[in-house]
Amino acid sequence: MNKHLVFLFIFLAGINSATGADGIVVVANIKNKTMQLTRQEVRNLFMGGAIPYQLKAIALPANNRTRVFFNTKVVGLTESRVQSYWAQMRFTGRKKPPKEIKSEKLLLGYLIDNEGAVGYLPASTPLPASLSVLYTSN
C-alpha cells in the first residue's frame, strides 16, 4: 500500500509541474497595453462567446498539457467537455473553434506576428515587450 502512495505522490507532483503549476497567462498582440480581461471574458473569447473587443483566440492542440490546465482552471471545463462543445458547434454550424497552433513556442511566434491574436501560455514563459498580459491564473 505504501508503495502505491509513493507512486501516486510522484505522479501527482509530476503532473503539477508539467501542467502549469506556475499558472497561465493569457497574452495578446494589441496596441492597448493596459487592457485587462476578466476570467469570464477570457472564457467567452475561447468558447466563441461575445466580448466587446476585436480579438482572435488561438489555442494549443487538445493533447497539450497547457491547454488542459487552461481549460480546467480558466474555462472551467474538462478537455472532453470542451471537445464535445466544439463538436456540437461545428455540427450545427453555429461557431468555429479557435485556430490551433502545435506548441507553446509556435504559439508565441504566431502571437508576435499577428495583431489582435490572443493565446495562453505557462506563466513562466518569457514574453517580449510587444505582447500584453490580459489575464493571469494561478
Side-chain angles (χ1 to χ4, degrees):
M1 181 69 175
N2 285 339
K3 196 190 304 186
H4 292 356
L5 288 175
V6 169
F7 175 75
L8 179 62
F9 176 75
I10 292 170
F11 176 74
L12 291 176
I15 286 178
N16 198 26
S17 65
T19 58
D22 59 341
I24 293 283
V25 289
V26 176
V27 297
N29 181 345
I30 54 173
K31 291 179 183 172
N32 180 357
K33 300 296 182 191
T34 62
M35 181 188 293
Q36 295 289 298
L37 296 179
T38 65
R39 180 176 176 261
Q40 187 61 42
E41 288 172 325
V42 172
R43 184 183 196 283
N44 286 348
L45 176 63
F46 282 88
M47 296 303 290
I51 66 165
Y53 308 106
Q54 293 294 320
L55 301 171
K56 181 173 169 83
I58 309 298
L60 292 166
N63 61 348
N64 184 286
R65 291 181 180 178
T66 301
R67 174 178 165 146
V68 172
F69 186 78
F70 173 80
N71 284 337
T72 303
K73 296 296 183 183
V74 179
V75 174
L77 298 172
T78 63
E79 182 60 34
S80 62
R81 295 282 311 267
V82 170
Q83 291 293 324
S84 176
Y85 171 80
W86 284 117
Q88 183 180 9
M89 292 300 110
R90 279 191 301 268
F91 179 75
T92 59
R94 290 188 280 179
K95 299 177 188 175
K96 290 183 178 181
K99 175 182 178 82
E100 290 185 5
I101 304 290
K102 293 183 181 185
S103 70
E104 286 91 348
K105 182 178 178 181
L106 292 174
L107 176 62
L108 185 59
Y110 186 90
L111 294 174
I112 291 168
D113 293 340
N114 294 276
E115 189 171 334
V118 180
Y120 47 86
L121 296 164
S124 61
T125 304
L127 300 174
S130 62
L131 298 180
S132 300
V133 175
L134 303 180
Y135 180 80
T136 303
S137 174
N138 293 336

